[in-house]
Amino acid sequence: MTIPLPPSGAGTDPLLTTADDAPGVSLWRAAWRRLRRNPTAIVGAVIVAAFILVALLAPLLTPYEPGSARWSGQVTPTSVPGPSPEHLLGLDRFGSDLFTQLVYGARQSLVYGVVATAIGLTAGTALGTLAGGAASVGGRIGGWVDNAVMRLVDIMLSVPSLLLAVSIAAVLGQNPYAVMIAIGVAQVPIFARLLRGSMLSQGRSDYVLAAEALGLRKRRIVMGHVLPNSLGPTVVQATLNLAVAIIEVAALSFLGLGQPDPAVAEWGRMLVAAQDRFEAAPQLALLPGGAIAITALGFTLFGEALREALDPRSRR
């Protein structure tokens, strides 16, 4: 009797082997195939795509300008006009078109979230590369550099991210740049620790041992092989941090540390303005609050699906 051999990769479970894991298929291409079959990824991608399109096409979606108070005479302390043919969602407490404020608020949230995450990703990648590279190279100096960087990261992690962002924004002043820098700095230790751990894990891989056997210098191995193969989890974390950044932007605006210009639409400030009108017009708080929650949910769902698609331990 002839026993059939597994098609490839002796020692692998044929029940867990899929076409996505076939030899010659790149990691990102296989992840893309999994994402297309994942309902969670599809829902998250639809929400994220809708959010980005609304932010980019804001001038085409509404004929009004953000912050325009042309209809302030229609608003009273006990009454705020609701939906009408001219105003799809009604007016806000200042007499501006509520739909226009929501649409342009998406643009502000997108810009703030992307810039803040880019700041955290850049600085965190630099620190993580320094610590992970020093630990991989080894030696007395390498160990000292790794310990110094990670103790700095531990100090930053000991402070809650929102509290750290509030402290930095309060020091830098009330302006949009302070908000983006504050949220970005609060994300630095997350990226730094994640990249360092990924580099240390990659440093024990077979291709690293093969490169060392061929006589390549450790620094060349770290920068040319270990670092590029360690960036995947960091990029995935960036998509998850976008959701956190959008929520923290709204939180800082709610606390009075966000954009000071009242003519600029921002979801967090809309929540502040709606506090004394909630009983008369609850939509003033429910709509921007729902927009924040749905947007954060979209980035979270897509980020989690992307992480699972790239993680070999979660493949079915």
Side-chain angles (χ1 to χ4, degrees):
M1 181 177 63
T2 304
I3 300 176
L5 296 176
S8 62
T12 61
D13 189 345
L15 297 178
L16 300 178
T17 303
T18 65
D20 297 333
D21 302 313
V25 178
S26 66
L27 177 64
W28 289 99
R29 186 174 181 181
W32 168 246
R33 292 180 179 179
R34 296 187 187 92
L35 287 175
R36 289 187 302 177
R37 298 193 298 266
N38 190 338
T40 301
I42 295 174
V43 173
V46 169
I47 296 175
V48 171
F51 169 68
I52 295 175
L53 286 177
V54 169
L56 296 178
L57 302 178
L60 303 178
L61 297 177
T62 173
Y64 306 118
E65 291 294 328
S68 176
R70 293 163 48 189
W71 306 276
S72 57
Q74 303 180 27
V75 180
T76 66
T78 58
S79 175
V80 178
S84 66
E86 293 183 353
H87 309 287
L88 296 178
L89 299 177
L91 302 178
D92 64 7
R93 62 159 295 183
F94 301 110
S96 302
D97 182 70
L98 183 57
F99 177 74
T100 301
Q101 296 297 101
L102 285 173
V103 168
Y104 277 90
R107 172 174 289 189
Q108 292 297 317
S109 297
L110 177 63
V111 172
Y112 284 19
V114 170
V115 174
T117 303
I119 293 174
L121 178 63
T122 302
T125 299
L127 289 178
T129 302
L130 181 61
S136 299
V137 172
R140 183 176 181 181
I141 297 179
W144 182 86
V145 172
D146 179 37
N147 286 330
V149 173
M150 294 316 298
R151 296 299 77 75
L152 174 63
V153 171
D154 290 340
I155 292 174
M156 297 178 68
L157 284 174
S158 65
V159 182
S161 60
L162 183 58
L163 179 60
L164 180 60
V166 169
S167 303
I168 296 174
V171 171
L172 296 180
Q174 189 179 10
N175 60 79
Y177 302 104
V179 172
M180 291 183 285
I181 293 174
I183 297 175
V185 171
Q187 294 184 1
V188 168
I190 300 174
F191 292 114
R193 180 171 286 278
L194 179 62
L195 181 57
R196 175 185 178 271
S198 182
M199 291 183 67
L200 293 179
S201 177
Q202 289 289 332
R204 297 188 292 269
S205 301
D206 293 339
Y207 70 88
V208 174
L209 299 177
E212 292 177 349
L214 292 175
L216 295 180
R217 303 177 67 176
K218 283 191 174 182
R219 292 183 181 179
R220 183 178 177 182
I221 296 174
V222 170
M223 302 306 297
H225 300 280
V226 174
L227 178 60
N229 286 285
S230 304
L231 291 175
T234 308
V235 174
V236 173
Q237 184 64 37
T239 62
L240 296 172
N241 278 32
L242 269 172
V244 177
I246 291 173
I247 294 175
E248 291 185 346
V249 166
L252 291 181
S253 296
F254 185 83
L255 295 174
L257 298 173
Q259 171 64 254
D261 187 1
V264 178
E266 208 283 314
W267 288 342
R269 195 169 61 251
M270 292 175 68
L271 290 175
V272 177
Q275 291 185 79
D276 59 352
R277 296 289 196 280
F278 187 78
E279 292 185 1
Q283 72 274 10
L284 299 183
L286 295 178
L287 290 177
I292 295 170
I294 293 174
T295 302
L297 176 64
F299 279 105
T300 301
L301 291 177
F302 184 76
E304 286 291 340
L306 182 59
R307 180 186 62 79
E308 292 177 0
L310 290 172
D311 188 356
R313 293 171 296 181
S314 63
R315 298 177 187 173
R316 297 180 179 178

